[in-house]
């Protein structure tokens, strides 16, 4: 009997904005510990798939092509600036809500 395997898709496990925040925080810590910006870039790409790449670029205040370029050739400084741009700065955690891509599913 042959088992059919499906590729892992991290977007299936991100349920709301709180999940996104935790996922990005852990990825940032791991990327810093490993000195590997690719870890954080991959996490941001996963979030972009969940939220929508255009929406993420808009939240960061950059063009979609610039976001693609950043994720293709990541560096820690630029990725941390991107995280700061897409993270609320009120000091108050936002109430969890459904991520747009998942609300439709």
């Amino acid at each position: 009997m042959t088992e059919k395997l499906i590729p892992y898709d991290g977007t299936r496990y991100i349920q709301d904005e709180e999940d996104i925040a935790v996922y990005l925080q852990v990825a940032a810590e791991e990327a810093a510990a490993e000195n590997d910006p690719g870890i954080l870039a991959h996490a941001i790409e996963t979030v972009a798939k969940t939220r929508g790449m255009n929406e993420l670029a808009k939240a960061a205040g950059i063009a979609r092509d610039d976001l693609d370029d950043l994720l293709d050739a990541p560096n820690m400084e630029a990725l941390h600036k991107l995280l700061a741009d897409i993270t609320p700065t009120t000091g108050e955690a936002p109430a969890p809500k459904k991520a747009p891509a998942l609300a439709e599913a």
Side-chain angles (χ1 to χ4, degrees):
M1 181 178 277
T2 304
E3 290 185 48
K4 182 178 179 186
L5 302 176
I6 59 172
Y8 175 78
D9 182 6
T11 62
R12 297 175 69 194
Y13 303 99
I14 297 175
Q15 300 296 315
D16 54 33
E17 296 298 315
E18 184 178 358
D19 289 348
I20 290 171
V22 170
Y23 179 59
L24 290 174
Q25 179 182 358
V26 170
E29 291 170 1
E30 187 175 330
E34 297 291 326
N35 195 27
D36 183 358
I39 294 169
L40 185 53
H42 178 72
I44 293 171
E45 286 175 341
T46 301
V47 169
K49 288 176 188 174
T50 302
R51 278 189 172 172
M53 197 67 115
N54 289 331
E55 183 182 325
L56 191 65
K58 184 178 177 181
I62 61 176
R64 163 73 189 265
D65 291 341
D66 292 339
L67 179 58
D68 289 335
D69 292 343
L70 172 63
L71 296 176
D72 286 342
N75 71 62
M76 291 299 267
E77 184 178 331
L79 291 175
H80 282 287
K81 182 181 179 334
L82 175 65
L83 285 179
D85 290 344
I86 63 174
T87 303
T89 57
T90 61
E92 203 175 293
K97 59 182 179 181
K98 283 285 186 192
L102 296 175
E104 298 169 5

